[in-house]
Amino acid sequence: MDAATFAAVFVALYVAHSVGDHWVQTSRQSATKGKPGWVGRLADARHVASLTATKLAALLPVAWLLGLDLSLLGLVLGLGLDAVTHWWADRRTTLARLAKALGQSEFYGLGTPAHPLAPVTTEGKPAAHLGTGAYALDQSFHHLWLLVASLIITTV
């Protein structure tokens, strides 16, 4: 494996992940993907499909312009694993259960009104902030799988 190829693949997927998760994902997908039943599952599937397309759209020009030697099998396996793990985490209850199993429930709830240290204004109302523990755990989970996907894409 060429370390430069791995680095280029990881950077392309990391940037595309951020774009796909924040710019391409619709508000409806974001609001619905964690709902129970088929409504949530399908919203999550639509989000992951557009996210994976965004990753492929970013990775292919990078691979072509830099002359990266990537196999179709590696792309399918790496992006497939990334898509499955992203879908799983974005169902929300699954990631919440993982956080609980790993003793991270308090951090998972950080930044929500239910958390004992929730930020409030001087009037005692919920204050604006940049995110929650759930969001931080979600993104770090996705980053872990981007690393694994990049290794698969580069080595298969």
Side-chain angles (χ1 to χ4, degrees), residues 31-43 90-93:
T32 309
K33 66 186 178 183
K35 289 188 175 185
W38 283 103
V39 169
R41 289 183 195 112
L42 291 173
D90 276 14
R91 293 293 292 135
R92 298 209 173 111
T93 56

Side-chain angles (χ1 to χ4, degrees), residues 34-94:
K35 289 188 175 185
W38 283 103
V39 169
R41 289 183 195 112
L42 291 173
D44 197 13
R46 285 188 291 276
H47 161 55
V48 170
S50 65
L51 176 67
T52 303
T54 302
K55 290 175 181 175
L56 191 59
L59 184 56
L60 290 179
V62 167
W64 180 71
L65 289 168
L66 298 179
L68 305 181
D69 186 23
L70 305 177
S71 73
L72 180 60
L73 179 60
L75 285 168
V76 169
L77 291 175
L79 290 175
L81 178 65
D82 178 66
V84 167
T85 60
H86 195 103
W87 184 89
W88 180 87
D90 276 14
R91 293 293 292 135
R92 298 209 173 111
T93 56
T94 49

Side-chain angles (χ1 to χ4, degrees), residues 88-144:
W88 180 87
D90 276 14
R91 293 293 292 135
R92 298 209 173 111
T93 56
T94 49
L95 196 63
R97 280 182 284 199
L98 179 61
K100 183 177 181 181
L102 297 175
Q104 295 293 327
S105 290
E106 184 178 347
F107 182 69
Y108 187 87
L110 186 66
T112 66
H115 193 275
L117 300 176
V120 294
T121 64
T122 55
E123 295 84 30
K125 296 178 183 175
H129 53 83
L130 292 176
T132 63
Y135 175 77
L137 291 174
D138 171 80
Q139 289 301 298
S140 64
F141 183 86
H142 296 324
H143 297 160
L144 169 65

